[in-house]
């Protein structure tokens, strides 16, 4: 059995990666290290938590002593590092936690791996999961390529850019066998409803206002989370050490257009008169420093690793909406309590 460490496995993307690896690789013992912050939810993994090749460890990547002890105990062969503070709006109101977790936490993991692998780095992999937001913001044309210069513009993207640089520096300086991928916006099941799509789905269902920042003209490039997990599998197993891979599905939407699509699809699924949910749209004060457009060129991962999205956007979106409608209890459990305070601070009087 190879011990593989996945950090942040109880979050949105991490839970899909943990599920894929547990089911696909019975010869791996998957160790999910997660602090279970507000974004980490054990209910994301109830279907696989009893698997023989799964171990959960509640720990904080900022606690370097605990991280070193874990590497000592499990002698990990590979690391897939997803744990992070991930929400741009929270990074605007509380940047410090992003610097601590995303930068220092990543450094702690690199140091523990370096120490554990010091006698032999052959076959080991430290795979850091990053975002397209490190490249900055695009105008109407063009794409982000693997060699696009970094130009992060929010505390979130600046902290992710910093951690990417440190990961590359460990490769260059110490010969650490690292890989990095930078993905576009993900959508799918199990996403915490502070991000655009689950927030809108939940509000449409409950006939609550749909808060669109600014004029809704900002563009995001959306990828189904299961396809991101498949890409992570490909990069982990087939990607070249020291390389970066951009991941995206050529699927750009203006925020207002994607919310219109959600409204119309959900009116149909909920048996409401067409146009009902569009009436809930409310334009609110824009996000500070709001990046205008993200778009990924995913040629490299397609040509080198043969990865492509497995579903069309329409298929992925249908599966996603159906999942949220069928899993009311999941949504209710996380939108009671602290979520209500967050929601009030973020949206009331905006
Ligand atoms: P998420 O916020 O849903 O999950 C983050 C997970 O990390 C949670 O389970 C949380 O409990 C855990 N965590 C946070 N701080 C921790 C700490 N100090 N110690 C241990 N665990 C901690 O995030 P996500 O959307 O699943 O994103 C996962 C990764 O993918 C992040 O690194 C993010 O930057 C990157 N990413 C996300 C997207 C996206 O669209 N969501 C796109 C590209 C890249
Ligand atoms: P988000 O899901 O926070 O992802 P990111 O900022 O990392 O791209 O937001 C996606 C887009 O939706 C972004 O342009 C901001 C916008 N947005 C709204 O208009 N209203 C909202 O309530 C939220 C959460 C986001």
């Amino acid at each position: 059995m190879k011990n593989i460490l996945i950090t942040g496995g109880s979050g949105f993307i991490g839970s899909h990666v943990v599920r894929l690896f547990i089911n696909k690789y019975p010869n791996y013992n998957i160790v999910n290290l997660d602090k279970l912050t507000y974004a980490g939810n054990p209910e994301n993994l109830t279907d696989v938590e009893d698997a023989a090749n799964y171990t959960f460890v509640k720990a904080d990547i900022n606690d370097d002593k605990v991280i070193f002890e874990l590497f000592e105990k499990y002698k990990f062969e590979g690391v897939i590092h997803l744990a992070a503070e991930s929400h741009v709006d929270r990074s605007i109101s509380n940047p410090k936690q992003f610097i601590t977790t995303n930068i220092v936490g990543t450094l702690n993991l690199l140091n523990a791996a370096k120490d554990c692998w010091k006698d032999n780095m052959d076959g080991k992999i430290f795979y850091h999961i990053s975002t397209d937001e490190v490249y900055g913001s695009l105008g109407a044309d063009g794409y982000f390529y693997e060699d696009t210069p970094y130009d992060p513009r929010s505390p979130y993207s600046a902290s992710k850019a910093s951690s990417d640089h440190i990961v590359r520096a460990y490769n260059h300086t110490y010969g650490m066998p690292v890989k990095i991928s930078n993905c576009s916006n993900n959508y799918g099941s199990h996403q915490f409803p502070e991000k655009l799509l689950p927030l809108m789905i939940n509000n449409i269902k409950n006939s609550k206002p749909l808060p669109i920042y600014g004029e809704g003209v900002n563009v995001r490039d959306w990828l189904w989370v299961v396809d991101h997990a498949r890409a992570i599998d490909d990069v982990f197993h087939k990607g070249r050490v020291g390389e970066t891979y951009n991941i995206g599905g050529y699927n750009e939407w203006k925020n207002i257009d994607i919310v219109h699509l959600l409204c119309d699809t959900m009116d149909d699924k909920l048996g409401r008169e067409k146009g009902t949910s569009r009436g809930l749209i409310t334009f609110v004060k824009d996000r500070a420093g709001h990046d205008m457009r993200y778009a990924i060129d995913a040629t490299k991962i397609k040509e080198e690793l043969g990865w492509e999205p497995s579903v069309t956007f329409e298929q992925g979106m249908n599966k996603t909406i159906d999942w949220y409608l069928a899993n009311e209890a999941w949504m209710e459990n996380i939108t009671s309590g602290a979520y209500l305070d967050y929601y009030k601070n973020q949206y009331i009087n905006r």
Side-chain angles (χ1 to χ4, degrees), residues 293-349:
R293 174 173 167 257
Y294 305 141
I296 280 279
D297 181 290
T299 307
K300 179 175 173 181
I301 189 167
K302 181 176 178 196
E303 288 187 351
E304 261 192 36
L305 309 183
W307 175 88
E308 278 186 295
S310 67
V311 295
T312 63
F313 180 62
E314 198 187 9
Q315 290 167 331
M317 197 54 122
N318 261 308
K319 285 176 196 281
T320 301
I321 295 171
D322 289 346
W323 187 87
Y324 286 101
L325 292 179
N327 287 274
E328 283 185 1
W330 180 92
M331 187 61 91
E332 268 159 31
N333 289 345
I334 51 170
T335 49
S336 53
Y339 180 76
L340 296 176
D341 292 336
Y342 166 80
Y343 201 88
K344 217 158 82 191
N345 285 335
Q346 181 67 20
Y347 293 104
I348 306 298
N349 302 326

Side-chain angles (χ1 to χ4, degrees), residues 7-15 33-41 59-62 81-87 97 101-102 128-133 156 160 181-187 190-192 194-195 222 228:
T7 70
S10 301
F12 167 48
I13 301 171
S15 62
L33 182 167
D34 200 297
K35 181 182 174 184
L36 299 181
T37 66
Y38 79 93
N41 183 356
D60 186 340
I61 57 170
N62 299 314
H81 174 38
L82 297 111
E85 291 291 338
S86 69
H87 187 38
Q97 188 60 48
T101 292
N102 297 358
H128 177 63
I129 306 302
S130 192
T131 166
D132 60 355
E133 301 189 26
Y156 164 65
K160 292 296 289 186
S181 57
N182 297 76
C183 189
S184 61
N185 286 59
N186 286 210
Y187 70 92
H190 303 91
Q191 187 171 28
F192 192 77
E194 64 181 0
K195 305 274 172 76
W222 294 96
H228 187 192

Side-chain angles (χ1 to χ4, degrees), residues 129-203:
I129 306 302
S130 192
T131 166
D132 60 355
E133 301 189 26
V134 298
Y135 298 122
S137 179
L138 292 165
D141 303 318
Y143 291 95
F144 295 136
Y145 300 89
E146 283 81 359
D147 59 1
T148 298
Y150 275 28
D151 182 23
R153 296 150 47 101
S154 75
Y156 164 65
S157 55
S159 68
K160 292 296 289 186
S162 176
S163 62
D164 291 10
H165 288 316
I166 295 170
V167 169
R168 289 198 183 95
Y170 269 56
N171 173 248
H172 184 76
T173 308
Y174 306 113
M176 279 276 292
V178 309
K179 300 179 184 184
I180 298 181
S181 57
N182 297 76
C183 189
S184 61
N185 286 59
N186 286 210
Y187 70 92
S189 68
H190 303 91
Q191 187 171 28
F192 192 77
E194 64 181 0
K195 305 274 172 76
L196 182 72
L197 294 193
L199 186 139
M200 294 296 166
I201 292 172
N202 193 33
N203 285 11

Side-chain angles (χ1 to χ4, degrees), residues 246-280:
N246 279 356
I247 306 170
Y250 300 100
N251 183 38
E252 292 180 50
W253 287 80
K254 275 187 193 155
N255 293 338
I256 186 67
D257 292 341
I258 209 168
V259 172
H260 279 156
L261 177 81
L262 277 179
C263 288
D264 297 347
T265 312
M266 287 187 66
D267 280 349
D268 195 36
K269 286 184 191 284
L270 294 168
R272 293 179 183 165
E273 198 182 323
K274 192 168 185 314
T276 308
S277 299
R278 286 193 186 209
L280 298 167

